[in-house]
Amino acid sequence: MAEAAVLYAVQRLSDLLTQEAVFLQGVRGEVLWLQRELTRMQGFLKDTDQQQDTDDGVRRWVSEVRNAAYDAEDIVDTFMVQPADGGGFWASLKKYACILNRGVNHYGVGKDIEALKGRIIDISRGAEAYGIRTISCTERNRSLTERFRHIRRTSSNAGNEQVVGFEENTKMLIKQLLKDEQQRFVISILGMGGLGKTTLARKLFNSTDVKGGFDCRAWVCVTQEYTTRDLLQKTIKSFQKPKIEDLELMERMTEEDLELHLYEFLEGRRYLVVVDDIWHKSAWESLRRAFPDNGNGNRIVITTRNEPVAMITDEKNFVYKLRFLNQEESWKLFCKKAFPDTADGQATVCPPGLEKLGREMVEKCRGLPLAIIVLGGLLSRREPHEWHTVKNHLWWHLTQDSDHVSPILALSYDELPYQLKSCFLYLSLFPEDSLIDTEKLIRLWIAEGFIPEEERDMENVAEEYLKELIDRSMIQIAERYLDKVKTCRIHDLIRELAIKKARALEFLDVYDGKVNLSYSSTSLTRRQVIPSGNMKYVSLVHFYPRLRSLLFFNPDRESINIKHLQTLCSSLRFLRVLDLEDTRIEHSGKVLRLTDSIGKLIHLRYFGFKCNSLVEFPRSIGNLQCLKTMVASGNSCWKLPSQISKLHQLRHLIARPLGHLQVSTLTNLQTLKYVNFQQWDAVDARNLINLQELEIREIPYTNMNFILQVNSLRSLTLQTDTAFNTLLPLSRCPNLIKLKLEGKINILPRSSDEFPPNLSVLVLYGSFLKEDSIPILEMLPSLTILHLGNDSFSGKKMVFSMAGFPQLQVLRLSWLRLLETLVVESGAMPRLKYFSIEDCNNQLMVPERLRMLPLPQEW
């Protein structure tokens, strides 16, 4: 994304102006000019996003702006790197002060800025030549709207649509439409593009039972750039089928007159209206006043890709989230399209020799009906010997053969706010079918500069970005853990869209494992993904001097040698992201000693590392003044030098440290995991004013007063091999929301006042609680998730009493081997939505009310 590149360059120029002002003799004015001019161009870039698809000149201009932004960033980073060559970063600044009399031009920065200034002036003139200007929102979306209207011109006429997998759902939704409920009722059909929302809505609309159940029906398709007047006219036309004179009268009516006319027509009638493909809540708000709630059993069906639209809070509504087809449903749909019935109605089947190949291709569609239908239609026109060719280039054939697949999916991307587009494109670097760790993804977004630095709580902002992409059906939730999305995934077609856009925008480069260089100009490559060919890649790193992000994804478990790591650190001085979590580092001996060269990566913001040995970090790690995340995967322990205390920007330290841990000065630290009690006990936690997530292990028999120094904690995990004597100190943790305790609890607090006041999530392992503990836990006023696992309960009978657990929504029981009886009294857990039980006593009888509840979603 060009605007993301410009935004980051502007931030870097701002950093240079504020942090290094003393060294900018003679060029401060030019730096300010660059900052102002790039900021101005950023406004133009938001308006050229759609024009790039159709105008080669605009595309070239945007590329020039992006490259200029990269060069501005390079100037700043080069300026920062060169003084650091002489040793420690801050020590070198003192040395640098001695050459101030030679000015900043000693390093050629002034010359570089002057050259870049000339280029930007030319680029600004180019904007005039290409007719680029800041435009209104209406103008900005006009081309998108026209494409949208062309693609999404839907109607209630289903034609000869192939429908598979919706049979039971259709019956269930028809019952919802026709049930004896006189209040106006909204059914929301939610799902990503291509899942079949409109097809299902048509099935409902054209059902014989539904037709007979309403006095009048209407079908309205919403465009992205709708007007209220247009929507009202469409609705009236669909209900009334007006004559020419009526249409002329409608054209003269005001918006208020149209609303009143529709309201009066529907008053006294039982009506059904389908509002297809709503993108924004405001579209529904534009129509709802015209739909009377007259107690006649009126029904409204809306289809949408966006969950906030589906969750209409001020209406009685039912949200149906469309699922992907399973394997057999997918195959059945494919066969209907690829092998249509003969003219005399005889069914045809897939020839046995093609079934294996066909099923392999259908599986790649991952249950997306639109892709399956397009694939079936494509192969219905191909000879059997051509099927292999289609399989080898499946996504190309799918997108080329249909006018709908790519445009429908691309609409979701085009409609994203510009700040989300970079976050979405970043998903293209993860391997196909991979489960993406959401915490890692959020920290990578922050390291890449996608989240504005001025946002104090960048993690929460990034989490909101992730939620919005999920709500927009661009990302699928793969797994939840407690109250968080733990992993996510993207559909293969959505991933192909992201890859296509990312390549067109030179957003990232995927190394192909060959000696030859890949598609983009190596000198401009900013992000690179290495899925294979580690050794070959290391020999080429000198071709990528401006690389900012390097991520290794090695499904074949290829390794790199410790010497190669030294080469990477010495050659790629501008790295902000270095992710080695999926790559083995070969070394000799029992200890992996990282070389001093890692200290040269002074711009590094994210460092991920995997090793099963002891890893010893050099003192030069203190140079990494920008580092925000250090994360270790595998079973390695990290021996961190005292210089870690200099990493004042560090927000997340996730590792098994060995020995003394000097983090008392890290006031920005938010996450600290896998530390033992002895290490924590030596920390002056009063300075850790931003610490939100803490995990302490190997706690001795103690009263837990050690935790009182940290008031900012929101999530706490404690593990002991002995026992927790008391939990009372936790009641003085006002912000604690999530608590996980691993170990025996000798004394449980006797009242809810002795627990953290805002506790929402409680996980207990090995607690050996007695039967009288449940009446205590069920008094917790804010508890929404409770997981009792691994011998956390030692009684034989567990009773949930009337009015107990007033806010509980999720209950999980696992490995409770002694539990024989579950009792749920009337009125207990009134808000419970999900229940799961795993590996408990086989003789345990589960009450019917709990058996009827679904498993927690995506758990």
Side-chain angles (χ1 to χ4, degrees), residues 364 366 395 432-433 490-497:
K364 295 291 288 181
R366 298 290 188 267
W395 297 132
E432 185 179 359
D433 300 329
I490 55 174
H491 191 278
D492 288 351
L493 275 176
I494 294 288
R495 180 174 177 270
E496 287 297 315
L497 168 68

Side-chain angles (χ1 to χ4, degrees), residues 39 73 145 192 208 212 397 428 468 530 591 625 629 743 824 828:
T39 301
E73 184 186 345
T145 302
M192 69 174 280
T208 303
H397 282 285
S428 64
E468 186 162 355
I530 317 300
V591 180
Q625 299 286 305
T629 297
V824 180

Side-chain angles (χ1 to χ4, degrees), residues 566-579:
Q566 182 175 355
T567 301
L568 292 176
C569 294
S570 299
S571 303
L572 306 176
R573 303 289 300 281
F574 296 143
L575 279 182
R576 293 198 293 256
V577 171
L578 179 58
D579 183 12

